[in-house]
Amino acid sequence: MSNKVIVIVVDGMRYDKACETLGFIQHLLETNQAALYKVKSELPSLSRPLYEVLLTGTPASVNGITSNQAVQLSTEKSLFHLTKENGLRNGAVAYYWVSELYNRAPFHFVEDREQEDESKPIQYGKFYWDDDYPDSHVLMDAEALRRKYDPHFLYIHPLGVDVKGEAFGSESKEYREQILKMGSLLAQLLPIWMKEGYHILITSDHGMSEYGNHGGITDGERDVPLFIISPKVEPGVHSEVVPQLAFAPLVCELLEIEPSDKMVNYSLPGLNRKMTV
């Protein structure tokens, strides 16, 4: 069985809207080819702090990334560090804040746009800074990177859903349409990745309020989906709400590497550990 993992973090995609609009992924659920969990995001429900949560498995009070204004390198061991330490290749196509967290801060727009350096935590990367950089470009940049470098861990982070949500609110036509567009893009790529044996995780950092903001404690701002396509995870809709801190150690489990000593010990319902080498 493959130990390669693709993670897609659809920024700002709340749980209920994802369930309503991601038609092909819901088809995979209905045909027992995927699993769905509800994840409760950490606080504050803001992007930069939650990128750090997803990638290091540590809360803001531990890692110090407490706001979007925390422009600094992470002091924690991320999934990028762990894959590199274990001799695995990694790659990312993401908003530039991810590069600032793990490779260099502040971001240098010329030198850091494209990265190819196996000595860095993020070894192969393409980073964007315009908030309206198209989701289609993010996904296809990632697929091109995957085909060229064959990473064991590929992190993909499109921002379009968050942009529409902040502009129009979570109950708007524009927000829903952007998630539908994301669903169409994923429907083109998921069959390719599934055929090649990847473990695929689709989630979000935070949700979105009806007013077009996030950062607070409401369910709309904190509840996000976690779709998993993997032979190690029992398909279907799982009722237990998963803490967001459990995401990073789950990725380690699928990559077949040891989590960091700061990651929580959490047993995901439906995960078959017996299949891990």
Side-chain angles (χ1 to χ4, degrees):
M1 180 186 298
S2 168
N3 68 331
K4 292 182 179 179
V5 175
I6 294 176
V7 166
I8 307 101
V9 176
V10 183
D11 203 297
M13 182 173 68
R14 53 187 277 169
Y15 177 85
D16 54 355
K17 302 307 182 202
C19 291
E20 291 173 8
T21 54
L22 296 175
F24 179 69
I25 296 174
Q26 288 292 340
H27 162 71
L28 295 177
L29 272 172
E30 290 184 358
T31 54
N32 290 319
Q33 299 180 71
L36 169 62
Y37 300 83
K38 180 186 287 186
V39 171
K40 181 70 71 173
S41 82
E42 282 288 300
L43 293 172
S45 54
L46 294 168
S47 292
R48 197 187 296 253
L50 296 182
Y51 302 163
E52 175 80 344
V53 168
L54 287 166
L55 285 160
T56 70
T58 60
S61 56
V62 170
N63 61 47
I65 307 299
T66 58
S67 74
N68 284 341
Q69 286 67 47
V71 182
Q72 63 196 61
L73 277 175
S74 168
T75 58
E76 304 300 325
K77 189 167 285 191
S78 72
L79 292 169
F80 298 114
H81 294 88
L82 290 169
T83 48
K84 178 175 173 290
E85 287 178 8
N86 282 273
L88 303 179
R89 292 179 303 281
N90 68 56
V93 176
Y95 195 58
Y96 75 101
W97 288 0
V98 175
S99 176
E100 284 184 327
L101 280 168
Y102 307 111
N103 273 13
R104 179 163 69 170
F107 185 84
H108 191 289
F109 292 91
V110 175
E111 296 177 8
D112 296 342
R113 159 79 168 140
E114 295 193 21
Q115 301 178 27
E116 182 181 343
D117 186 345
E118 291 196 354
S119 70
K120 291 182 177 179
I122 304 175
Q123 296 168 316
Y124 301 104
K126 185 184 287 284
F127 298 94
Y128 62 96
W129 53 88
D130 284 333
D131 289 4
D132 58 358
Y133 188 72
D135 289 348
S136 58
H137 291 33
V138 174
L139 269 291
M140 296 310 158
D141 285 347
E143 177 61 359
L145 187 151
R146 183 190 73 84
R147 295 185 182 199
K148 184 173 182 180
Y149 299 111
D150 190 27
H152 297 84
F153 173 59
L154 176 58
Y155 183 84
I156 307 172
H157 170 229
L159 197 65
V161 171
D162 183 71
V163 169
K164 293 297 185 183
E166 290 182 353
F168 301 102
S170 65
E171 304 310 305
S172 66
K173 174 185 177 183
E174 290 85 356
Y175 181 71
R176 192 175 191 276
E177 280 187 342
Q178 194 65 29
I179 303 176
L180 284 166
K181 289 179 181 178
M182 176 54 56
S184 177
L185 290 167
L186 290 172
Q188 298 170 59
L189 290 171
L190 289 176
I192 298 171
W193 300 339
M194 292 168 68
K195 186 176 180 180
E196 297 200 21
Y198 287 87
H199 305 283
I200 305 165
L201 295 84
I202 303 163
T203 190
S204 185
D205 49 349
H206 56 76
M208 187 67 59
S209 80
E210 61 197 89
Y211 306 107
N213 49 38
H214 54 89
I217 65 170
T218 66
D219 289 345
E221 293 167 90
R222 295 188 70 183
D223 290 350
V224 297
L226 172 57
F227 298 98
I228 303 177
I229 303 167
S230 167
K232 289 185 180 178
V233 179
E234 181 182 341
V237 179
H238 296 262
S239 58
E240 183 173 332
V241 177
V242 177
Q244 198 170 40
L245 291 172
F247 183 81
L250 170 63
V251 174
C252 290
E253 182 89 21
L254 298 174
L255 287 165
E256 299 174 6
I257 61 176
E258 288 295 317
S260 77
D261 57 7
K262 290 188 179 179
M263 291 181 184
V264 298
N265 183 13
Y266 178 83
S267 182
L268 183 79
L271 177 65
N272 188 346
R273 293 177 182 272
K274 292 180 181 178
M275 298 179 69
T276 303
V277 175

